[in-house]
Amino acid sequence: RRARRGTAYEGFVTAQGRNFHIRILLPVDLQLKNARIECSWRLKRILHGYRHILKQRLHSCPDLVSFMVELKTVLEIALKNTQDLHIPRPPEYYSCLVRDLEILGWNRVAYVDTGLTTVKLKAEDSCGRQHLITLKLNAKYPTEPPDCLVDFPVPFAVSWMPQNSLIDIYNQFLAALESLKEFWDALDEIDGKTWVLEPENPTRSATTRRIAIGNNVSVNIEVDPRHPNMLPECYFLGADHEVNPLRTKLNNNMHLWDPEVGLLQNLRELLGIDFPSRAVLEKSDFAKDCGICYAYRLEGSAPDHVCDDPRCGQPFHQACLYEWLQGLPTSRQSFNVIFGECPYCNKPLTLKSSMKKL
């Protein structure tokens, strides 16, 4: 259902044989990361301890369908743990858990709740990055494995046998960290050497980066965690006269991509540019405020639409521009495209509202 201030999706999510009513509100720019979730107080209470995970998933999921799959998985875990709270643990549960923690080493334990049902373990990968894994243990541990929650860009599936212990999960966690080393190396280099406009504070599960190229010109890349050194999906943002030459260079030079060379170096060579450096430039040198709301951040988003006229080049938030154009009697709309005039220079302007994750 499309409303003036965005799009609403309403329905039910089923978990553990129960149906829960849910409503997801997407803003006018249809950015999933800025969505609002509305649900009953009962579902809100069940998901209370998982809010940070759901927020993380909103940022990392490429579309609404993927997010609903993640929501269902988290809800299944939450319901299972809620039910488990009412099941008394046998003495063997506690003795086994304490023994497993001692074998693992208390120096690797970051947190244990008072009921000994939630454990957080910390680990450092070979590059010194710090990571956490949250284990939700049910009353049948160790016959049944704990549910594992991690900040990964890929699913983390645990191999478990009844005779296994926490150290087996921890070792699998360490192996998974090393398998993602190249992915995090590539994104850490981008975060450290370029100006990343979005996400502002990327999680380890985030696969996208919007990198500043110049004044109101940027590229959004989507990196494959399994193949981080392959050519990522690239989406340019900015005025046509700025981004069209970049698109042409990318298309003409794709064959030059070298998987043996780092992601950032490949992008530099294919596009024939030097990305603005954090060491030399300030963000304010190329990040201009929206021409309608006069702010840079709007619900976490940076301006993502620019007037195509080279003499103007004023940036806007897609949501602000959409609202502005809808309010003008001279504007017209065809499906998800709205035609109007730039609020600054009055030149013709076209805005396409899409589900593209920026």
Side-chain angles (χ1 to χ4, degrees), residues 165-182:
S165 69
L166 294 186
I167 200 158
D168 296 294
I169 290 181
Y170 191 78
N171 287 334
Q172 290 176 55
F173 180 53
L174 291 178
L177 292 179
E178 290 313 302
S179 73
L180 291 164
K181 178 187 176 299
E182 286 188 357

Side-chain angles (χ1 to χ4, degrees), residues 297-314:
R297 292 272 169 206
L298 177 69
E299 295 179 342
S301 292
D304 47 13
H305 195 91
V306 179
C307 175
D308 282 333
D309 191 301
R311 291 164 297 180
C312 177
Q314 177 63 45

Side-chain angles (χ1 to χ4, degrees), residues 309-329:
D309 191 301
R311 291 164 297 180
C312 177
Q314 177 63 45
F316 306 98
H317 293 115
Q318 193 179 51
C320 294
L321 191 56
Y322 188 87
E323 290 268 324
W324 174 277
L325 293 174
Q326 276 206 321
L328 294 178

Side-chain angles (χ1 to χ4, degrees), residues 77 80-97 113-119 135-142 144-147:
I77 293 170
K80 207 162 129 193
N81 289 323
T82 304
Q83 292 159 11
D84 279 346
L85 290 176
H86 307 295
I87 302 171
R89 263 63 170 168
E92 302 80 44
Y93 167 89
Y94 298 104
S95 58
C96 182
L97 178 57
D113 72 337
T114 51
L116 293 183
T117 58
T118 300
V119 177
L135 308 177
K136 301 277 186 180
L137 297 106
N138 65 47
K140 293 181 181 175
Y141 177 84
E144 291 183 4
D147 290 309

Side-chain angles (χ1 to χ4, degrees), residues 11 20 28-29 39 87 105 111 153 195 239 244 253 300 345:
F20 296 92
V28 288
D29 61 1
C39 60
I87 302 171
Y111 167 84
W195 277 110
N244 285 343
N253 296 334
C345 68

Side-chain angles (χ1 to χ4, degrees), residues 219-224 231-235 356:
V219 61
N220 192 76
I221 62 168
E222 174 93 37
V223 182
D224 182 348
L231 176 65
E233 183 184 330
C234 297
Y235 178 66
K356 189 80 175 167

